[in-house]
Amino acid sequence: MHRRPRPDLRHAPRRPARHPGRPAARSATVALVTGAALTLTGAAAPAAVPTAGSATAPAAPSTGSDHPHRPRIHFTPEQNWMNDPNGLIHHDGVYHLYFQYNPEGDRWGNMSWGHATSTDLMTWEEQPLALPYTEDEHVFSGGIVFDEHNTSGLGTAENPPLVALYTSAYTGSSERPGIQAQSLAYSLDGGYTWERYEGNPVLDIDSGEFRDPKVFWYEEGGYWVMSTVVATERRVLFHRSDDLVEWEFLSDFGPAHADGGVWEVPDLFELPVDGDPDDTRWVLIVNLNPGSVAGGSGAQYFVGDFDGTRFTPEHLVDSGPPDGEVFADFENGYGGWEVVNDVDGQGGDGPFGTAPAAGTLPGQHPVVGYEGEHLLNGFVGGDAPRGHATSPEFTIDRDFVNLLVGGGHHPRTGEGGHASVDLVVDGEVVRTATGQDSETLDWVSWDVADLVGRTARLRVEDDATGGWGHVLLDHVMFSDDPVPGLADYDWLDWGRDYYAAISYNDTPDDARVTMAWMNNWQYAENTPTSPWRGAMALPRQLELETVDGRPRLVQNPVDQLESVYGDPVYDRNRAPVHARGLDLPPAEPGRAYQVELTLRPGRSEEIGLRVHEGADQATVIGYDTAAQELFLDRSDSGDTGFHDAFPSRSAVPLPLDDGRLRLRVVVDTSSVEVFAAGGRATLTDLVFPGPDANGMSVYTDGGPGSDEDVTVRPLGPGPGGAAE
Ligand code: FRU
């Protein structure tokens, strides 16, 4: 029931959702947990609503040993549900971290702003609730600015205010049910207590999907600039204001690059390129869910220029297929295809019908993403009928076969009947593709350079009879190039758990420091932790560096990580790594670690590091030499069974530098963050290892390699809680 906590645009018509933010399933969950049937549509309100400052959250350290999965150096609330970081600001020597918080339960709901503070970004003290939800209004994500010159008039010249801009998600019992608009709250005591502005909302475009304001002072123009999203339209809006109250529309940006989900939580800021203050670019972060490169939620970014009105990216990847020869577009019947329906003899002409479908079939979510008027749609008669369709024979004469595929995720290698599109040469399946449990067709590119000159057929096999037991296929074409895909765009992180990333305002030395929710909406409500649910990734410092001729983000843990360094427990220069691997000293149970090492793949097919290693489990950080990619594989990382989408392997294309790859890996009790090649690529995953999975080793496959400059050191407090 909780499998799909967010609206999945791939199945949904692209129009604003009827209710703000979350579908009924998620609100129902909250009702179960809290016993108070407060839903976004406001069926009923809870008896008592907490007020600012009266929250129950004790001022407690964010790290403890109450649960084996409680992180040691990552922020978690003492109890209850947390999602996005909000209102990141450094003020009077204190880093404030507000966050999306359910004060009453460990699943999403009752959205309010929780609060924690730190002076070093490493140790956090949880503070009383900052902005509680009310019967009429849930408090969604937003940002905070220091209104130093009291432009808002909400403070005084002597005591200028901190001003929060947040999204009011109006409940069913409000006067604007389902609307999302931007509101203000202000603090006159440095961010500890907050008052709502009485003229709220301050920006309302009558939309149910308008949210996540992030504001900064635009120095060159002398005004405030706010970025927001219209989530389902995948657009970022920019507005300006002189006083934080009256807002004027400037421009919008999007859709662009990854748009397979809603756009959320934008952030716009300027950074020097290669450390040169005279050569700057603007970076626009756009979080997206689902549809990220690693699946589900993720954060993409664009580098470009902001002229005070408009953001213009300087590098956009062409979308759509390259030139080529179309082999099958299903516009004029099935042509020479041999179509076999109803192999079980149940009657009817499913799964393919007698002619290609004109789009969506009865009983099907809207089918989108095909070309022209028709496609092969294997949903005739629903999911149950089985059959196959085989193309005429052709000779492979180009390096790529590009095709649009959709429908169920039933790969040939899986259990149960498959639903796939296959390339068959000499009676053997040499390439195969399946859908992603989605009615949106997406490009698949097969590299067939090694098969040029061979004769082949395409075969669609629908052998799956249960849910999503159908295939969609369109626009098969032969080209010299693949279709650009998600991996061609720029991403903050290539792992599974890095979402709602935004940056701090007003940091010392203008350092650009980001925080992100270390989670993925695919399974966020199912992660096996208690009495809290949700953690923040390590704060990162962002820089722009020229890589392959254009500026890209480079990210590393903030320098303050060094303040929690323990003495190295292992340090060595260089060692060959053979098939049996090299053990590193086992981790002290319940401890966070940093492992730094350089991999030299040499003649190996794969080389890497296993952490949280036990008899039957490990989290693997490996380099695939032939594919030239670094991967993070948590398929067998311990407790992976709480959600189908959790076991996974994610990868980032990353060439070696002079035959080497430098890695910095931060391993906490329930997460692994990989900073590779000086921060050019990062991969972040949650993991839930068993209690005895404390091993660590370097391994190779398919030939010897070596490692260099290996250092292992503990981070943060020991398992008993005491810092060492
Ligand atoms: C992102 C998000 C935001 C919204 C908040 C609600 O994860 O969906 O768009 O403001 O969470 O909790």
Side-chain angles (χ1 to χ4, degrees):
M1 175 187 167
H2 309 307
R3 285 285 151 74
R4 235 171 260 290
R6 317 295 317 285
D8 181 348
L9 271 191
R10 286 165 184 256
H11 314 149
R14 285 185 169 157
R15 60 175 163 74
R18 207 152 48 86
H19 306 307
R22 301 296 180 278
R26 197 187 267 191
S27 302
T29 307
V30 174
L32 283 180
V33 171
T34 62
L38 181 83
T39 66
L40 283 181
T41 51
V49 164
T51 50
S54 74
T56 48
S62 65
T63 53
S65 48
D66 57 336
H67 187 288
H69 293 141
R70 178 78 84 173
R72 311 304 299 177
I73 58 160
H74 289 84
F75 176 74
T76 48
E78 202 52 28
Q79 56 181 356
N80 294 334
W81 168 270
M82 173 177 79
N83 56 293
D84 311 359
N86 294 151
L88 301 184
I89 190 161
H90 179 262
H91 186 66
D92 278 348
V94 175
Y95 290 93
H96 292 269
L97 163 62
Y98 301 84
F99 46 87
Q100 287 289 281
Y101 188 60
N102 179 355
E104 285 154 40
D106 63 3
R107 290 178 188 246
W108 187 88
N110 306 326
M111 290 330 289
S112 304
W113 280 24
H115 184 201
T117 51
S118 173
T119 52
D120 61 6
L121 287 167
M122 289 294 134
T123 46
W124 293 95
E125 195 177 325
E126 196 167 340
Q127 302 289 343
L129 200 62
L131 280 170
Y133 76 97
T134 67
E135 189 179 333
D136 291 344
E137 180 199 50
H138 287 201
V139 189
F140 277 16
S141 290
I144 291 178
V145 291
F146 175 42
D147 184 13
E148 196 177 351
H149 301 294
N150 194 29
T151 61
S152 62
L154 294 171
T156 57
E158 300 73 49
N159 187 22
L162 286 175
V163 178
L165 282 112
Y166 66 90
T167 299
S168 299
Y170 293 112
T171 66
S173 56
S174 74
E175 284 172 10
R176 319 269 335 267
I179 292 295
Q180 298 182 351
Q182 315 322 324
S183 290
L184 296 188
Y186 57 98
S187 172
L188 300 174
D189 66 355
Y192 294 91
T193 60
W194 292 85
E195 285 296 328
R196 282 161 154 99
Y197 172 59
E198 53 185 30
N200 280 342
V202 295
L203 183 56
D204 184 351
I205 59 168
D206 203 27
S207 162
E209 294 285 346
F210 176 43
R211 55 181 179 268
D212 304 341
K214 176 81 201 284
V215 178
F216 67 94
W217 177 252
Y218 179 60
E219 191 68 52
E220 269 175 76
Y223 48 80
W224 301 102
V225 171
M226 182 201 305
S227 323
T228 50
V229 290
V230 183
T232 43
E233 293 174 12
R234 291 148 297 137
R235 283 197 300 143
V236 176
L237 308 189
F238 300 107
H239 285 81
R240 64 172 276 182
S241 174
D242 294 328
D243 59 6
L244 296 165
V245 175
E246 299 286 332
W247 291 93
E248 182 191 326
F249 177 74
L250 289 173
S251 66
D252 65 353
F253 172 74
H257 285 181
D259 61 0
V262 290
W263 277 20
E264 299 187 316
V265 195
D267 193 6
L268 177 68
F269 49 83
E270 190 177 17
L271 277 178
V273 179
D274 299 322
D276 177 358
D278 297 327
D279 183 20
T280 63
R281 295 291 189 288
W282 288 79
V283 177
L284 177 65
I285 293 178
V286 180
N287 292 276
L288 146 107
N289 173 61
S292 91
V293 66
S297 320
Q300 62 176 331
Y301 71 89
F302 301 87
V303 176
D305 180 47
F306 180 68
D307 63 4
T309 301
R310 186 167 291 282
F311 173 77
T312 312
E314 66 180 36
H315 169 82
L316 278 187
V317 177
D318 290 340
S319 59
D323 293 341
E325 169 200 340
V326 177
F327 171 68
D329 61 9
F330 303 108
E331 294 304 322
N332 300 298
Y334 278 124
W337 286 61
E338 187 201 348
V339 176
V340 179
N341 285 312
D342 189 28
V343 294
D344 296 316
Q346 291 175 333
D349 62 359
F352 304 115
T354 50
T360 309
L361 291 166
Q364 191 173 28
H365 287 286
V367 173
V368 292
Y370 55 97
E371 308 255 320
E373 305 292 317
H374 298 86
L375 76 158
L376 177 149
N377 184 339
F379 194 69
V380 175
D383 282 322
R386 299 189 309 135
H388 44 90
T390 310
S391 79
E393 199 168 71
F394 56 93
T395 301
I396 298 175
D397 59 1
R398 306 269 196 116
D399 285 356
F400 287 88
V401 177
N402 297 318
L403 54 166
L404 281 168
V405 181
H409 183 74
H410 296 289
R412 288 193 144 261
T413 48
E415 284 165 20
H418 60 273
S420 61
V421 183
D422 305 326
L423 182 68
V424 183
V425 172
D426 286 344
E428 261 187 58
V429 174
V430 292
R431 299 289 183 278
T432 179
T434 185
Q436 301 295 331
D437 287 352
S438 165
E439 306 291 21
T440 302
L441 290 89
D442 249 332
W443 285 106
V444 168
S445 295
W446 286 328
D447 181 346
V448 291
D450 58 325
L451 298 168
V452 167
R454 310 287 295 272
T455 50
R457 288 179 199 271
L458 281 169
R459 189 171 157 98
V460 180
E461 282 206 356
D462 178 355
D463 217 20
T465 53
W468 283 110
H470 66 274
V471 181
L472 309 174
L473 173 67
D474 200 20
H475 214 77
V476 180
M477 60 182 302
F478 307 141
S479 303
D480 296 333
D481 298 295
V483 179
L486 293 173
D488 295 303
Y489 307 146
D490 288 326
W491 298 92
L492 283 186
D493 198 281
W494 296 72
R496 301 271 286 137
D497 298 298
Y498 199 76
Y499 194 56
I502 45 163
S503 68
Y504 267 92
N505 283 346
D506 302 350
T507 47
D509 306 324
D510 290 331
R512 191 50 64 173
V513 174
T514 45
M515 292 283 265
W517 180 44
M518 194 159 50
N519 221 325
N520 192 315
W521 279 116
Q522 285 182 330
Y523 44 72
E525 294 203 319
N526 304 77
T527 52
T529 64
S530 177
W532 83 98
R533 190 175 270 124
M536 294 299 171
L538 277 186
R540 298 180 179 178
Q541 171 141 5
L542 269 52
E543 281 155 326
L544 277 178
E545 212 177 82
T546 306
V547 178
D548 294 336
R550 65 185 175 91
R552 302 192 207 204
L553 284 179
V554 166
Q555 304 165 82
N556 284 292
V558 290
D559 290 346
Q560 288 92 330
L561 183 64
E562 289 175 20
S563 69
V564 297
Y565 273 11
D567 290 335
V569 290
Y570 191 76
D571 222 339
R572 73 172 154 70
N573 287 339
R574 179 163 185 175
V577 189
H578 297 285
R580 66 179 178 281
L582 265 184
D583 284 342
L584 301 177
E588 199 181 329
R591 201 79 209 256
Y593 277 81
Q594 174 174 276
V595 184
E596 291 169 286
L597 82 172
T598 297
L599 297 173
R600 286 176 78 105
R603 283 182 287 126
S604 67
E605 285 168 15
E606 190 181 305
I607 183 166
L609 176 71
R610 291 188 220 271
V611 298
H612 284 309
E613 191 170 22
D616 58 351
Q617 56 183 260
T619 301
V620 186
I621 301 123
Y623 192 76
D624 179 331
T625 317
Q628 297 194 45
E629 62 181 29
L630 174 69
F631 65 85
L632 178 53
D633 188 344
R634 66 172 179 197
S635 309
D636 297 307
S637 56
D639 184 355
T640 60
F642 54 87
H643 193 285
D644 291 355
F646 190 79
S648 58
R649 176 190 188 276
S650 349
V652 52
L654 195 61
L656 297 174
D657 180 9
D658 197 18
R660 295 181 173 84
L661 177 63
R662 182 78 182 152
L663 297 181
R664 180 175 182 187
V665 183
V666 176
V667 185
D668 205 336
T669 48
S670 52
S671 62
V672 173
E673 284 154 295
V674 182
F675 299 85
R680 289 185 186 188
T682 67
L683 292 143
T684 300
D685 270 11
L686 291 174
V687 288
F688 300 100
D692 301 325
N694 299 309
M696 242 190 277
S697 63
V698 183
Y699 76 96
T700 55
D701 260 350
S706 59
D707 65 25
E708 285 176 2
D709 301 326
V710 186
T711 307
V712 181
R713 60 171 89 235
L715 299 173
E724 281 159 36

